[in-house]
Amino acid sequence: MVTTARVRELALALPEATEQDHHGRPSFRVGKIFATLPTDRRLNAMPDHDGILTAVQSRPDACSEVYWGKRLAAVGIDLDVADDALVTELLTDAWEHKAPARLLRDR
């Protein structure tokens, strides 16, 4: 189980990550949104398409596909089932997918 406080800690530890309101929900950004907390028990992370599919295939107990319209947009993470390592990995993948090139060069 991962708490929303821990999600915030992990997300905001990434370079230049900030938290902002997104339609009444917390979102984590690095210029662009890389993750949201739609509920206290669910995290949506936004890695690339292949990263979403890999997460769902490797951890179907904790991860599900999230569509916005017809587009596969995120991996939904059940925080009651997920562990710290999974959340860290998916937040990092999502951050890398959305971060500006200058930040990726510096890593």
Side-chain angles (χ1 to χ4, degrees):
M1 183 177 105
V2 180
T3 66
T4 55
R6 182 64 176 150
V7 169
R8 280 188 169 88
E9 182 181 336
L10 294 169
L12 296 174
L14 295 163
E16 296 187 23
T18 62
E19 181 178 344
Q20 294 180 20
D21 180 79
H22 181 69
H23 304 286
R25 302 176 195 146
S27 71
F28 302 98
R29 302 168 185 245
V30 59
K32 298 177 182 178
I33 296 175
F34 66 91
T36 62
L37 278 169
T39 73
D40 287 344
R41 303 310 322 137
R42 183 175 178 91
L43 169 66
N44 290 337
M46 300 163 197
D48 65 15
H49 184 271
D50 289 342
I52 295 167
L53 295 178
T54 298
V56 171
Q57 290 169 357
S58 66
R59 288 293 308 271
D61 61 316
C63 298
S64 59
E65 296 174 353
V66 176
Y67 285 85
W68 291 336
K70 294 182 180 183
R71 181 176 72 88
L72 180 59
V75 57
I77 305 159
D78 180 343
L79 295 175
D80 288 327
V81 177
D83 58 21
D84 222 52
L86 178 64
V87 171
T88 299
E89 178 182 358
L90 291 172
L91 283 172
T92 302
D93 289 351
W95 179 90
E96 288 173 349
H97 180 59
K98 300 291 185 167
R102 68 175 175 76
L103 288 178
L104 298 175
R105 283 192 304 266
D106 295 342
R107 285 198 85 168

